[in-house]
Amino acid sequence: MSQSVKGATETLRAALAVDVAYTCGVQPIKAEDLCVYYKLKTGPHGDEKNARSINLDGEVSEEELEQLVAACDPAPFGLDDKDVLDEKVRKAGQIDVENFVARLDVSAAGIIDAIIPEILSGEKSNRVLRAEMYKLNVYGRGCFFKPHQDTPRAQNMIGSLVIFFPTAHKGGELVLTHGEDKFTFDSAAELGKHKSGPAVAYIAFYSDTKHEVLPVHSGHRVTLTFNLFVDHAESGALVLPHGVPTPVEREFESGLVSMLADQTFLPEGGFLGFGLAYTYPMPTLGEYQLPPMLHLLKGSDARIRTVATRLGLPVRAKIVYDAGWWGDENTTVLMDHPVNAEWHVEDMDERDVAQITGEGVTILEEPLHSRGKQPGSDSDPGAKTVHEEAHLSREETDSDSDSGSDSGAGAKTVHWVTPANKMMRISTPSGSYFGNHGGVNYIYGNVALFVEVPAVGDGVRAKYL
C-alpha cells in the first residue's frame, strides 16, 4: 500500500471518528406555546372526562402541577415487545397523545430546522424529517428512568425529540451514552441561563442511543416527546435544500479523492468497506431480504453515503458472512439478504455457492476477521481479494440507493477502512446435530457499507487522474 493511500485511509477514519448522536439547545418561543390542554380522568362530579389547560412556564403554581400529575397514568417501559410497569426501573407519569393537546408547533417554532443539520446529516434533497407527537411526561420529586433505548415505532423511525418546559425543578438530567461517549443534558440549568423571554429546551437523539433520566430532587420536570421519522420527498413533503458540505464532510471527501487519484490503489477497481456506527431496521425471522436502510443512515454512516454519492460512487449495504457454514473457513460471502436455513448449507461445497446465495453475491478469498490483524497495518494492508460470482444487485429498494452501474464478474478487492462489527448482527437458525440429538445452530452475519470504486481511468475516476 502506498503512503498516499495509507494517509488517505487515516483521513477517512479520522473524519468518521467525528460524530455525535444528539443535538440540543434552547429555543425562544411565543408565550402561548407554553399552554397545554389535557383531559381529567373524571369530571369534578364523577361524570365524563373534561378538559383543563395549564400554562407550563416558570410561574405555574404547585396546585396546577399537582392537577396535571393527577391526570397522568404511570409510565411504562418496553420489554420484550410489551409495555411493563415497574417503579424500580421507571417512576414517572404520562398522558397519551389522544388525551392532551399542546400549542407548541415544533416546526413553526424553528426546532426542526435547528436539529436537521445533525440528526438528518447527509444528502438532504431526497429526505425529510417528520416529528410526530407521542407523550407528555411528568417527573416529580423522586422520579427517574434507568438506562434504556427507545422502542422503534416504525422502520423509518430515526430518533426522538424531547421538549422541556421551563417549570422549576432540580435534578432530572438526561444522560446519553453512545459507544464510549457520554453526555449529560441539564435542561433546568440551560433554561435558567435564558433570560430574554419564553423558551423551551430541546434535545434530539438517535433511537439506538442509550439514555437515562436521573432522579428529580425537587419540583416537576415536564416534557413532550416526539418520534422522529425520515420520509422520502416524493411523498409530497417539502424538499429540504442541499446543505453546504461541513468541514468534516470536506475532510472525508479529500481522503476519497486522494484514493481515486492514486493509480496504484485498486487499479482494476474494487470496494471500500465500512463497519456501521449505528443500528437500523433488521429483517424479521423468516424474512430473506435486508430492509431498505440507505435513506435511514445516521451520523458518520450518513457521511459515507453523502460524500460517496456526491462523487458519483455507488453505496450499498451488504451482509458479511464468514462462510465456514458451507465448508470453507477461508471464504467470506457478501449478500443482499440473510441466508436461508432451508438451503442445508452444511451439505454444500464451493461449486454450489451460487445456488446457495443466489443474487448479489461476492466471494472473498480471505475471511474478514483477519486473525487479530488491524486493517491498514504493514502485515495486513486492509485489502482482501474478492471474486464476484454475481453482480452486486440492486435489490436494495431505496429509490436513491444506487448511483452508477454495477461491476461485472472478475477478480476484485475490498479495502476495509473500518472493520465490520456486530452493530447489526443477523442470526439465522439452522438445524444441526449435537451428539445423538437434534438441536439448533445459528449462522451469523454482520451488515456493513460498501462503496464501489471504478478501475483506473473508468467512470467518475477518470477525472481525478
Side-chain angles (χ1 to χ4, degrees), residues 16 18-21 118-122 158 206 277-278 280 296-304 306:
L16 293 176
V18 180
D19 196 24
V20 293
E118 292 294 342
I119 295 299
L120 200 60
S121 57
I158 194 173
Y206 295 130
Y278 296 91
Y280 303 94
L296 298 176
L297 295 180
K298 314 167 193 172
S300 56
D301 295 339
R303 191 172 304 137
I304 296 168
T306 299

Side-chain angles (χ1 to χ4, degrees), residues 134-330:
Y134 179 54
K135 300 284 186 184
L136 182 146
N137 287 112
V138 182
Y139 285 74
R141 181 178 178 182
C143 290
F144 63 92
F145 197 174
K146 289 188 175 180
H148 63 286
Q149 290 179 217
D150 288 337
T151 303
R153 303 291 166 181
Q155 284 198 344
N156 64 332
M157 180 175 166
I158 194 173
S160 298
L161 168 65
V162 182
I163 303 295
F164 303 83
F165 288 104
T167 54
H169 66 277
K170 292 183 179 180
E173 297 91 341
L174 183 65
V175 180
L176 305 180
T177 304
H178 184 261
E180 300 297 321
D181 298 326
K182 182 172 285 191
F183 172 73
T184 299
F185 184 62
D186 187 342
S187 57
E190 294 301 318
L191 285 166
K193 299 174 185 176
H194 186 83
K195 306 296 184 182
S196 56
V200 293
Y202 66 86
I203 187 166
F205 50 89
Y206 295 130
S207 300
D208 53 352
T209 303
K210 186 174 289 187
H211 53 287
E212 67 175 308
V213 179
L214 299 183
V216 174
H217 303 308
S218 64
H220 292 82
R221 176 188 185 269
V222 184
T223 63
L224 292 176
T225 299
F226 294 78
N227 294 327
L228 296 175
F229 301 91
V230 176
D231 293 328
H232 284 288
E234 290 79 5
S235 65
L238 289 176
V239 177
L240 298 174
H242 288 272
V244 176
T246 64
V248 70
E249 284 180 354
R250 292 190 182 279
E251 180 184 4
F252 191 85
E253 183 173 332
S254 72
L256 276 183
V257 170
S258 294
M259 287 180 168
L260 296 176
D262 190 321
Q263 298 188 46
T264 67
F265 178 66
L266 300 183
E268 303 301 321
F271 308 97
L272 296 174
F274 299 86
L276 294 171
Y278 296 91
T279 59
Y280 303 94
M282 298 281 280
T284 58
L285 186 63
E287 181 183 12
Y288 297 110
Q289 180 65 44
L290 187 64
M293 56 179 279
L294 293 186
H295 76 287
L296 298 176
L297 295 180
K298 314 167 193 172
S300 56
D301 295 339
R303 191 172 304 137
I304 296 168
R305 175 182 178 271
T306 299
V307 177
T309 301
R310 189 159 56 230
L311 295 180
L313 304 175
V315 182
R316 295 173 184 84
K318 297 284 179 181
I319 308 172
V320 182
Y321 288 103
D322 283 339
W325 43 264
W326 63 274
D328 189 344
E329 297 292 341
N330 296 318

Side-chain angles (χ1 to χ4, degrees), residues 364-375:
L364 280 68
E365 286 183 339
E366 297 293 335
L368 170 64
H369 308 295
S370 53
R371 300 172 180 83
K373 298 175 183 178
Q374 292 296 319

